[in-house]
Amino acid sequence: MSTRTPARISTPPAERTERTLRGSIRRHPLTWFFTLAYGLSWVAWLPYVLSGNGLGVWHVTFPGGPGGPGASQLTGVLPGAYLGPIGSALLIIALTEGRAGLRTWRSRMTRFKVGRRWYLAVLVSVPLALILASAALSGDGPAQPSATVLLAFLPGLAAQMVTTGLAEEPGWREFAMPRMQRRLGPLAATLAVGVLWGCWHLPLFLTDWGGGPDVAWTEPVEFVATATLFSFVMTWVFNRSGESMPLVMLLHCGVNNYFSVAGEDLFPGMSHADVTHAFFLASLAGAVVALAATRGRLGLPERQPARTGAAAG
């Protein structure tokens, strides 16, 4: 009596592709995060780079126009910034960790209870460090801030928190940093994330965001170096505050807000290059202090509690 071999049920190509893709993301979440963060942002920024705000290939100018980057950034830069780091992080967490991972992500994003001294320290130390660095470079003390600066400082900081802070930090610090630290330790992880974070901005130097399109090669190089140095301070605050993302965002946005609202008013004689050097100098000093004070641990405990999610990159 003959027997008939049951026919193999073939998996549709689309389902096989989905399984393969999900498996790859689960095995290499960091690789996928960095790839998507760069790819999605850079593609979204392409119209801005090609527009009248950038290379001028596309004869359209984003609101704000050449010479007015503040307004144009809202429509030209911010969509790509949201789409890249935070969008990629949420997508990968949802695919690899599901609802539990998203709840953990939300808990860190809303971790406001870290002590008033932390908020006071960040609010005071960021402008103080930048003022001292600017004074050292200019040779003059700061001018008395105008009433406009005083009135706009806190509202400007709040606006930066929901734009720059919310767009970037949930990806670079909340998603990437813990996973990188588990694999590489705090020093190598901070160096890697800092360089990748800085380089992510590079296409924007072809636009009025970075003073482009004709900028000296030294400017983006100095920017990446500054971002890397500043990342050592960011990592220390992230680790010591119990991974409080509101505090990390406040630290990042404090720098942006100082230069956007107060820097030119306090030091009117400083050039754009001087401002860039001041940020580099303040970041270098902060990195040295953080590394020396923590003996290179940057606030990371010797033994970390287990966290949800794969550690593979």
Side-chain angles (χ1 to χ4, degrees):
M1 181 175 66
S2 63
T3 58
R4 181 178 297 177
T5 304
R8 176 181 294 178
I9 300 175
S10 61
T11 305
E15 187 176 338
R16 288 201 303 269
T17 301
E18 181 182 354
R19 289 180 180 177
T20 302
L21 183 60
R22 280 177 174 266
S24 176
I25 294 173
R26 287 193 177 100
R27 290 191 301 273
H28 309 289
L30 279 170
T31 301
W32 276 97
F33 166 73
F34 291 124
T35 301
L36 289 174
Y38 270 69
L40 293 175
S41 290
W42 286 16
V43 169
W45 287 338
L46 187 60
Y48 186 62
V49 172
L50 297 178
S51 73
N53 304 83
L55 298 175
V57 176
W58 183 34
H59 300 294
V60 171
T61 302
F62 283 75
S72 68
Q73 287 177 33
L74 292 176
T75 53
V77 178
L78 196 58
Y82 274 122
L83 191 61
I86 186 174
S88 301
L90 286 173
L91 175 62
I92 293 172
I93 291 172
L95 290 175
T96 59
E97 303 174 23
R99 292 182 179 179
L102 292 173
R103 284 194 297 269
T104 301
W105 178 87
R106 184 178 62 185
S107 72
R108 287 192 292 268
M109 289 299 300
T110 56
R111 196 163 292 167
F112 292 96
K113 295 181 180 180
V114 293
R116 294 179 183 178
R117 63 185 179 88
W118 277 105
Y119 291 103
L120 182 62
V122 170
L123 285 171
V124 172
S125 63
V126 170
L128 180 61
L130 294 171
I131 287 172
L132 291 175
S134 299
L137 289 173
S138 66
D140 294 318
Q144 183 175 348
S146 65
T148 302
V149 168
L150 295 176
L151 290 173
F153 196 81
L154 289 180
L157 186 58
Q160 289 281 353
M161 288 285 285
V162 297
T163 53
T164 301
L166 188 59
E168 298 187 30
E169 293 308 325
W172 303 115
R173 236 62 58 176
E174 198 282 340
F175 181 86
M177 182 53 65
R179 292 164 173 80
M180 293 288 281
Q181 284 192 127
R182 286 201 300 270
R183 296 184 62 196
L184 304 175
L187 293 182
T190 299
L191 184 63
V193 172
V195 171
L196 289 167
W197 175 43
C199 290
W200 173 76
H201 295 80
L202 290 181
L204 298 177
F205 281 91
L206 299 173
T207 72
D208 52 20
W209 178 93
D214 300 316
V215 295
W217 65 269
T218 54
E219 291 193 29
V221 169
E222 184 175 4
F223 178 87
V224 173
T226 302
T228 304
L229 290 170
F230 187 54
S231 290
F232 285 96
V233 182
M234 299 277 282
T235 298
W236 178 75
V237 171
F238 177 76
N239 288 332
R240 286 288 288 119
S241 66
E243 302 180 352
S244 169
M245 288 307 300
L247 194 67
V248 170
M249 290 163 57
L250 186 66
L251 176 64
H252 179 175
C253 295
V255 174
N256 291 38
N257 190 55
Y258 170 83
F259 286 122
S260 298
V261 175
E264 186 176 345
D265 195 76
L266 295 177
F267 295 92
M270 291 188 69
S271 65
H272 173 74
D274 292 333
V275 170
T276 303
H277 299 336
F279 186 22
F280 175 84
L281 181 61
S283 298
L284 175 61
V288 170
V289 170
L291 288 167
T294 64
R295 298 181 179 179
R297 291 295 301 173
L298 296 175
L300 185 69
E302 292 294 335
R303 291 185 179 180
Q304 297 185 83
R307 291 164 55 104
T308 305

